[in-house]
Amino acid sequence: MSSTTVQDPAPSALLQPGRNCWRQEHAGRFKLLIDAADYFRALRLALLNARRSVYILGWDIDSRTVLVPGINDDGMPPQLGDLLHALVERQPDLHIHVLNWDYAMLYALEREWMMARKPGRPRNKRLHFRTDARHPVGASHHQKIVVIDDKLAFVGGLDLTRCRWDTPEHLPEHPLRRDPDDKPYAPFHDVQAMVDGDAARALGELARRRWSLAGYAERRPLMQAALALPSEDPWPQGFEPDLRDLQVGISRTEPAYEGRPGVFEVRELYLDAIAAARQHLFFENQYFTSNVLSEAIGARLREPEGPEVAVISPQTQSGWLEQATMGALRARIHHRLKSALDEQGQEADARYQMYCPHLPGLEDGSCLNVHSKVFTMDDRMISVGSANMSNRSMAFDTECNLTIEVQGDAAKQEEIRNAIALMRNRLLAEHLGVAPADVQAALQREHGLHAAIASLRQPERRELRPMDPRLIPELDALTQDNAVFDPERPISPDEIVDAYVPRSARKPVPRRMVGLGVLAVALVVFALAWRFTPLREWINLSSLIALARSVDKMPFTPAIVIAAFVVAGMLMVPITVLIAVAGVVFGPVNGGLYATAGVGLSALLGFGLGHWLGHDALRDMLGPRINNLSRRFAQRGIAAMAVVRLLPIAPFTVVNVVAGASHLGMRDYLLGTLIGMLPGIVLTVVFSHNLAEAIRHPSMQTVLILVGVTAALMLMAFGLQKLLKPRDGKKSVKPAAKSRDSAFGRPVTEQPRKVQPTTPSSDDGMARLNTEHGVEARQA
């Protein structure tokens, strides 16, 4: 039975084509596939049944992905790229179209290069691999769709790429959970939906339209004639549908581009569901940074009889950049929601809570990496797709969601209501380490979503732990606006200049643009050399130590070492490695002096480069938003700079250049840099020197010194953790009613619910800073 305590025997339809969905289409079968082990296995079986056409759309696609790790008994190659080639060789009428996002260079070293041209593999004209760059600068193609023969389709959050495969058990260590380089990766959770019938045919139309909009011609009469031919049912055996004979809504996000108006159906779907909820809203999502969604949820929390809201999200965002941007934005929204009921004298905890799925056995008590994009409203609606709860997924990137709601006569309504409840309970049960029936029983017994979760929690075992994302004031000050990190719509540079930048500030910057171009080309060349030449082997700790020892015997050693710091720092060589080398080769005193002088000079040069390149360029591109941020940064001067160096939240060279382009004075910059880096320099050179001595000449003295320095490093890390520990949510965030940028007072970005179509210029100047892929996990 459903957990809903108040059932509407004839609920009004929430899905409205043209408003919150593109179309509603009939599906003979619908199946929720939880985690990639199920999805990848179902997909492989379905691909083996393909006869006429396959469309694969993704944010990231890696041909080395093994869909079913282990032994396959179907006689086909295990890797995705080889499998696709084998399929077109086996089926003479089969055409396969693969459309991958034409990714930003930020991800160049993380993705597979020359995917379509594997050495030694013949080219097949019926296997078409293309990249999609037809979107506003700064946006991305983010749909994850596979359509087979227009008879079966998959939609959700899973890309066919590395580091995605996992089972619902999410074991801390799994022998089959390894990337293409045979390296293990952390547990990973995501959700995909499988659908057939007219819904699959409509998704085939959507995929062909995206292929065409990406700029690639298609022999449509021939393709449509091929699809009209009879073919086998591609539905994979062994996957029993969750529902049969129902209507499925297809919702999209598309940014305005090249004269086409924007499409915001996913955003309207979320808003309508939030407004219509009676008992509870359940979200499982990688991100939670959307202003418009947080405003809508906050409004429901302020209602005396509003619904419960549960958000399941990863404990930490992946990588320093993602944590310092999207993580900070999520923490800000979370604390606003926690204080949404303050004016009524109620605690928001009773009706709103964020959770992370805890897995025993992970290092440092880490939580499961949640990458899914799924939500339910009461027992009346479930939606699965690619859209994150972020501004860019609501209006900026291309997205696609599938939605089911209660429909039909009374018997059909009850069937769908029970199926929706079961799918939600399966998700909760996986995270809580119990059976779906236990979740259903707890919901009926406790009469509340949060109470049910609390009753099923098992300390020291799999559980959903309440989470309060850290709101660090220093990071919050450095991430004042999500216009750059999580934009809500395409931004034209001409629009920004006309709206914000006074004519007196519009200085020509051709020389700076040339300088930026040269710098970008140099970094790309260095990245290519690092990946495809022995440079990676030359520039490592052992090679740097050997080189430094040879320098030690030369005249003018200090000048050479300091110059090496400057050059290596500008080439993005990790500064900590250089400091460690100095400690090993030159000892704690000389090594510390060399490192301090080299770091200071490298920082000064980077600051000067940023000042020369960025002052007018950043102002002309982003207007007063960057100016205001720079002024806030300058007001906190030395302290802010020291915090950035202590964390650090960005690579050394990046901080140097950005600081130079800000309003920060050189004196504060240098003092903050020295204050922030001196403790680390001293401890690093002493530690590295004594580590080398303990290895070369082991003695009680060297071992004791090494232990002492190690303890100092641990104490320093502990002290930083205490220093940067977020304050109480009520103190660190201004009351919603009084905050100028409150999500529940005046919106941070005053964007109307209906975004008016805009036509961005072809040279949009907003560089993409989407951080869905972290440094290691690389998810989208």
Side-chain angles (χ1 to χ4, degrees), residues 486-500:
D486 189 21
E488 294 178 306
R489 65 182 179 87
I491 300 177
S492 163
D494 294 334
E495 175 188 359
I496 294 176
V497 169
D498 290 340
Y500 298 112

Side-chain angles (χ1 to χ4, degrees), residues 681-745:
I681 291 175
V682 172
L683 290 174
T684 301
V685 295
V686 173
F687 177 82
S688 58
H689 169 74
N690 283 280
L691 177 61
E693 287 297 309
I695 294 173
R696 290 197 297 256
H697 309 292
S699 67
M700 182 60 68
Q701 180 180 0
T702 56
V703 171
L704 288 175
I705 294 176
L706 190 61
V707 171
V709 176
T710 303
L713 286 169
M714 294 174 64
L715 287 173
M716 179 179 174
F718 180 76
L720 282 175
Q721 184 180 12
K722 289 294 185 181
L723 175 65
L724 299 176
K725 185 177 181 180
R727 302 164 189 165
D728 182 82
K730 298 178 182 179
K731 296 180 181 179
S732 60
V733 181
K734 294 181 180 180
K738 299 179 181 179
S739 175
R740 189 181 64 85
D741 60 350
S742 168
F744 310 115

Side-chain angles (χ1 to χ4, degrees), residues 224-235:
Q224 289 174 348
L227 290 173
L229 296 174
S231 62
E232 297 182 12
D233 179 9
W235 188 276

Side-chain angles (χ1 to χ4, degrees), residues 1 14 69 80 98 132 139 168 182 245 260 271 274 278 313 410-411 467 486 490 494 517 566 629 750 774:
M1 286 295 294
L14 197 72
L80 176 64
V98 181
D132 185 357
D182 201 35
D245 186 23
R260 299 190 305 272
L271 291 174
I274 292 169
R278 296 182 179 181
S313 189
M467 177 175 62
D486 189 21
D494 294 334
V566 173
L629 176 59
E750 295 202 6

